[in-house]
Amino acid sequence: KGTLVLDEIAFFGAEEIVFKSNQDNLIGFPKKVVDEARRSQLLAIKDNKEFLREVGRDTWRYFETLIDRKTKLVVDHVRVGSTVGIGSYVNPTNVALYWLASVAAYDLSLISKEQAIENIRASLETFENLNRWPPGFWYNYYHTHNLRVTRKYVSVVDNGWLAAGL
């Protein structure tokens, strides 16, 4: 007697189908692997504070666009270049960092206070309703679109980052 547990299931077929489906769920997706014009603009900045502000603006663009349209959760990662892909999962650390990034974007005057509050509120409403391990810890991985637990793994470190984000 025993239990068969499938950790991951891979899709074999036209890679574009899975990618396009995941891409459709997002608010945006990078169109260039390296934006040479933007790179040149950044390298031309001599003032350190201005340079860091512009890097902050570019970093915020990740959080602004790589959000699931329906659930308002940020995806873990994207791959650009010859092998494109979207890590359509989220964990407590990703959510905490999104909240902190929303506050930082407000502090840098990249978004309004109302927008920062809405970003946090919308993702918090989704996240607080996710399935949790019985004592109350969030699992480490959830699919960003259908909100299913992708692995029944609990990380107290990631839950700690969530607490820090709160």
Side-chain angles (χ1 to χ4, degrees), residues 17-87:
I17 293 172
V18 172
F19 172 74
K20 290 294 183 190
S21 175
N22 286 333
Q23 186 182 28
D24 288 344
N25 295 337
L26 299 179
I27 291 171
F29 190 82
K31 293 182 179 23
K32 298 178 182 177
V33 176
V34 176
D35 186 339
E36 287 298 334
R38 181 63 177 150
R39 182 176 180 215
S40 295
Q41 287 173 346
L42 288 172
L43 290 174
I45 298 172
K46 301 300 179 206
D47 180 68
N48 288 341
K49 285 186 179 181
E50 183 183 348
F51 175 77
L52 288 174
R53 179 173 164 66
E54 290 302 309
V55 168
R57 178 187 313 276
D58 289 354
T59 303
W60 173 246
R61 285 188 186 124
Y62 176 92
F63 291 100
E64 194 171 47
T65 58
L66 296 171
I67 300 288
D68 187 273
R69 292 177 192 272
K70 181 178 88 174
T71 66
K72 306 303 182 202
L73 295 177
V74 64
V75 298
D76 184 80
H77 68 276
V78 295
R79 285 188 313 271
V80 294
S82 58
T83 307
V84 293
I86 299 169

